[in-house]
């Protein structure tokens, strides 16, 4: 280990010893959560740190490139998993219990928005699905080690359980081991990454599959025209069988290059990794404020500037797409009446341009009352009209009947939060599940009155492109 790293380790080890000593003296519960954070120098880059995730049963990666925000969470200290209809309330209760006796040194650093819990939730509660066997309906964990980067701020967070029988010497020794591992492995590339996995076979993308999906869209349009629904989102699953197992961080690196304005994420659990590049924020919480996105209504990108502008202008004038978009805005306005009297947004909608698609987009800001709780708000919000439909319950029932697969984490929630009513969550779209040499990719489209099944199918192809384009010969069938 280099001298400057040894000095940094010794200094933080001593600071941690004082932190633990004070925490143990004040401890009143048999078990409580402790979080110790410290800044680190520029010599340690996130590219090095990605190597640390190899070998962990659970890890979580989160990045917003255009906001210079990155999180890598390693190992599972506390796990909060729930299944069934009561998952939101059950998670809220367990988080409240974990907060009892919590101690940290965060205030000494003067840094806001330090993540504590990371993970996500499925689109809906499900019966057993072999594809999603490594994920519960709701999956959150406090990592043993978390690296947080926000602009020029770089922080390492070590989380521990203060148990009745644990000694400060044992905690300090474990702290030293974790930090030593960071510096010792940063230059050690132990992973022989797959160069360019090829697609050996694609399932779910044949003309027969296309015809079947379009028939479902026709049925959905009939349901809408009968007045039973205003909107429904139908999705597709495509399964890729690959020549070799890819290295997920290489895939994320390519997604970063192509989609820097999106949320990049990778949630590894057991033998599965759920990853993607989502353009859609669910909510961002900062004390009394929530930021949310209405993102609905889509058009392709043009090959040239003039064509791209024509697609944009057509999208802004499309009654079908504007109706779909306004459905989402109305949904947010009605929802937040229970939490706030102030919902702020501008009209008309803006355009959010991604590499292969552009969307109608309206950012919203909501001032909350003092009694709000994170998971109560998320339960009210999720699933939004952008991934489910309106009315929500009726649309959900139709989705379960018409879709022949389990969505799992797709169109669910991924993100992070802490005990300070701070957090950020994305809608888990433009995503895929990786299990060894198998990859399951997903995409959906919003069906409203006036929708064209062929156009909707083409839209799903556009939305699958970010994932499928990561592999050579991705058009093979």
């Amino acid at each position: 280990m280099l001298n400057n790293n040894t000095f940094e380790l010794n200094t933080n080890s001593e600071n941690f010893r004082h932190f633990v000593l004070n925490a143990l003296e004040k401890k009143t519960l048999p078990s409580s959560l402790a979080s110790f954070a410290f800044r680190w120098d520029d010599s340690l880059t996130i590219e090095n740190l990605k190597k640390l995730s190899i070998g962990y049963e659970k890890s979580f990666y989160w990045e917003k490139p255009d906001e210079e925000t990155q999180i890598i969470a390693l190992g599972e200290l506390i796990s909060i998993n729930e299944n069934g209809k009561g998952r939101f309330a059950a998670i809220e209760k367990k988080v409240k219990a974990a907060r009892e006796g919590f101690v940290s040194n965060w205030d000494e650093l003067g840094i806001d928005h330090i993540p504590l819990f990371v993970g996500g939730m499925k689109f809906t509660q499900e019966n057993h699905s072999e594809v999603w066997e490594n994920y519960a309906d709701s999956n959150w964990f406090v990592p043993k080690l978390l690296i947080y980067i926000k602009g020029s701020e770089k922080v390492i967070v070590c989380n521990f359980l203060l148990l009745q029988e644990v000694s400060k010497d044992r905690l300090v020794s474990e702290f030293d081991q974790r930090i030593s591992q960071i510096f010792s492995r940063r230059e050690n590339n132990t992973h022989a990454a797959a160069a360019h996995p090829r697609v050996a076979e694609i399932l779910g993308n044949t003309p027969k599959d296309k015809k079947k999906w379009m028939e479902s869209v026709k049925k959905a349009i009939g349901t809408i025209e009968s007045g039973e629904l205003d909107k429904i989102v139908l999705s597709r699953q495509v399964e890729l069988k690959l020549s070799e197992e890819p290295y997920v961080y290489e895939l994320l690196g390519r997604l970063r290059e192509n989609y820097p304005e999106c949320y990049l994420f990778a949630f590894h659990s057991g033998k599965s990794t759920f990853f993607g590049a989502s353009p859609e924020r669910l909510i961002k919480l900062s004390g009394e404020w929530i930021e949310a996105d209405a993102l609905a209504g889509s058009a392709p990108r043009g090959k040239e500037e003039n064509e791209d502008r024509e697609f944009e202008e057509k999208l802004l004038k499309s009654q079908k797409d504007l109706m779909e978009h306004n459905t989402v805005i109305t949904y947010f306005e009605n929802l937040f009446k229970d939490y706030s009297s102030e919902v702020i947004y501008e009209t008309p909608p803006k355009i959010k341009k991604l590499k292969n698609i552009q969307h109608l987009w309206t950012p919203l800001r909501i001032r909350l009352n003092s009694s709000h709780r994170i998971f109560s708000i998320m339960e009210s919000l999720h699933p939004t009209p952008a991934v489910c439909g309106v009315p929500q319950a009726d649309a959900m029932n139709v989705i379960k009947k018409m879709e022949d697969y389990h969505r799992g984490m797709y169109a669910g929630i991924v993100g992070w939060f802490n005990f300070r009513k701070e957090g950020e969550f994305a809608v888990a779209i433009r995503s895929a599940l990786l299990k060894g040499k198998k990859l399951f990719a997903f995409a959906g489209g919003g069906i409203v009155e006036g929708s064209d099944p062929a156009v909707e199918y083409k839209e799903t192809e556009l939305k699958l492109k970010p994932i499928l384009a990561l592999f050579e010969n991705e058009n093979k069938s």
Side-chain angles (χ1 to χ4, degrees):
M1 189 178 295
L2 300 175
N3 290 335
N4 62 328
N5 292 334
T6 302
F7 173 77
E8 191 168 337
L9 174 61
N10 291 339
T11 300
N12 285 303
S13 180
E14 188 61 29
N15 292 338
F16 179 73
R17 181 181 292 273
H18 288 300
F19 167 75
V20 168
L21 185 61
N22 291 333
L24 288 173
E25 287 178 351
K26 297 176 182 178
K27 189 168 78 72
T28 57
L29 299 174
S31 175
S32 57
L33 177 61
S35 183
F36 179 80
F38 62 94
R39 289 181 172 87
W40 48 276
D41 64 27
D42 293 337
S43 65
L44 197 58
T45 69
I46 200 70
E47 297 301 324
N48 302 135
L49 292 171
K50 289 172 185 175
K51 302 166 189 175
L52 290 175
S53 65
I54 300 167
Y56 279 94
E57 184 75 11
K58 270 197 177 179
S59 64
F60 183 86
Y61 185 76
W62 172 272
E63 181 177 5
K64 193 71 165 55
D66 62 350
E67 295 180 3
E68 298 182 294
T69 301
Q70 295 168 314
I71 300 168
I72 184 165
L74 305 170
E76 183 180 60
L77 180 69
I78 296 176
S79 179
I80 299 181
N81 296 333
E82 285 292 335
N83 292 303
K85 292 182 179 180
R87 57 185 177 148
F88 287 92
I91 292 294
E92 190 90 65
K93 185 177 181 179
K94 288 186 176 182
V95 169
K96 183 179 179 181
R99 185 174 182 172
E100 293 295 322
F102 174 71
V103 292
S104 77
N105 70 330
W106 294 1
D107 289 337
E108 296 174 16
L109 273 68
I111 299 174
D112 294 327
H113 306 119
I114 294 179
L116 185 61
F117 288 87
V118 296
M121 305 181 81
K122 289 181 180 177
F123 172 71
T124 187
Q125 66 274 3
E126 296 179 343
N127 296 322
H128 176 73
S129 166
E130 186 177 344
V131 171
W132 295 99
E133 61 189 346
N134 293 122
Y135 299 90
D137 291 343
S138 186
N139 308 255
W140 302 96
F141 70 99
V142 175
K144 293 181 178 180
L145 186 66
L146 183 142
I147 296 93
Y148 175 56
I149 298 176
K150 177 65 176 175
S152 60
E153 291 283 5
K154 301 181 180 182
V155 178
I156 293 178
V157 183
C158 287
N159 299 309
F160 294 85
L161 282 176
L162 300 179
L163 304 173
Q164 196 72 47
E165 66 278 6
V166 73
S167 69
K168 66 178 182 299
D169 290 335
R170 178 180 166 187
L171 289 173
V172 171
S173 175
E174 187 174 345
F175 172 83
D176 289 347
Q177 289 176 9
R178 292 187 196 178
I179 304 308
S180 296
Q181 183 189 55
I182 292 178
F183 291 110
S184 64
R185 292 189 64 180
R186 64 177 184 165
E187 302 297 341
N188 179 24
N189 190 356
T190 59
H191 184 83
H196 296 288
R198 295 178 61 82
V199 178
E201 185 180 3
I202 295 182
L203 304 176
N205 210 32
T206 65
K208 183 179 179 180
D209 294 316
K210 177 179 179 180
K211 181 180 179 181
K212 182 180 178 182
W213 191 81
M214 288 174 61
E215 286 296 328
S216 294
V217 173
K218 289 179 183 178
K219 290 180 182 178
I221 294 172
T223 304
I224 292 168
E225 290 175 345
S226 70
E228 297 177 45
L229 293 173
D230 296 323
K231 175 187 176 180
I232 184 171
V233 179
L234 293 181
S235 65
R236 301 167 50 209
Q237 173 184 280
V238 176
E239 180 182 346
L240 276 60
K241 294 184 178 181
L242 305 172
S243 60
E244 50 191 321
E245 183 175 353
Y247 181 38
V248 72
Y249 281 117
E250 289 184 356
L251 302 181
L252 285 174
R254 291 162 67 185
L255 288 173
R256 181 196 299 112
E257 292 177 7
N258 293 329
Y259 304 97
E261 60 286 286
C262 289
Y263 291 96
L264 304 179
F265 60 88
F267 183 5
H268 177 74
S269 180
K271 297 180 180 179
S272 301
T273 303
F274 178 63
F275 73 99
S278 173
E280 186 172 354
R281 171 190 289 158
L282 180 64
I283 51 171
K284 180 178 181 179
L285 296 104
S286 301
E288 64 177 358
W289 284 97
I290 275 186
E291 297 173 42
D293 285 344
L295 195 75
S298 308
R301 296 297 305 269
K303 295 179 181 179
E304 298 177 352
E305 185 176 344
N306 288 340
E307 184 184 35
D308 194 62
R309 192 179 300 114
E310 288 177 7
F311 282 135
E312 176 183 334
E313 291 173 356
K314 185 178 179 180
L315 180 59
L316 288 167
K317 295 176 182 178
S318 167
Q319 291 304 306
K320 178 264 182 186
D321 289 289
L322 287 169
M323 181 171 63
E324 181 183 346
H325 187 79
N326 289 334
T327 297
V328 179
I329 293 177
T330 301
Y331 171 80
F332 276 114
E333 287 183 311
N334 291 335
L335 171 74
F336 282 109
K337 285 179 182 177
D338 295 335
Y339 301 100
S340 170
S341 60
E342 189 175 11
V343 180
I344 304 167
Y345 63 92
E346 296 179 358
T347 57
K350 303 176 181 180
I351 294 290
K352 187 164 191 173
K353 293 181 181 284
L354 307 178
K355 183 176 181 180
N356 68 319
I357 197 169
Q358 47 191 323
H359 299 281
L360 293 175
W361 172 46
T362 299
L364 303 98
R365 280 175 54 81
I366 302 100
R367 186 191 293 274
L368 298 167
N369 58 39
S370 59
S371 61
H372 71 277
R373 299 188 303 274
I374 290 178
F375 282 91
S376 296
I377 292 173
M378 286 207 292
E379 184 174 19
S380 299
L381 271 172
H382 177 76
T384 70
V387 294
C388 180
V390 179
Q392 185 191 82
D394 295 331
M396 185 73 78
N397 288 333
V398 175
I399 287 170
K400 289 179 179 178
K401 292 177 182 177
M402 289 190 175
E403 292 184 355
D404 58 0
Y405 76 100
H406 291 286
R407 288 193 183 187
M409 294 292 293
Y410 164 67
I413 301 169
V414 288
W416 65 269
F417 65 95
N418 60 28
F419 291 136
R420 301 182 174 187
K421 293 184 178 180
E422 298 171 334
E424 191 160 11
F425 308 90
V427 181
I429 54 177
R430 310 299 195 274
S431 55
L433 176 71
L434 180 64
K435 297 186 74 174
K437 296 180 183 180
K438 287 185 179 182
L439 183 137
F440 303 86
F442 314 92
I447 315 302
V448 296
E449 188 174 355
S451 290
D452 182 325
V455 173
E456 297 300 335
Y457 187 85
K458 189 173 182 179
E459 182 177 319
T460 63
E461 288 187 314
L462 280 173
K463 292 175 178 176
L464 283 167
K465 194 70 176 177
I467 299 297
L468 300 188
L470 296 171
F471 305 96
E472 295 183 14
N473 70 319
E474 54 90 7
N475 289 319
K476 183 176 178 178
S477 59

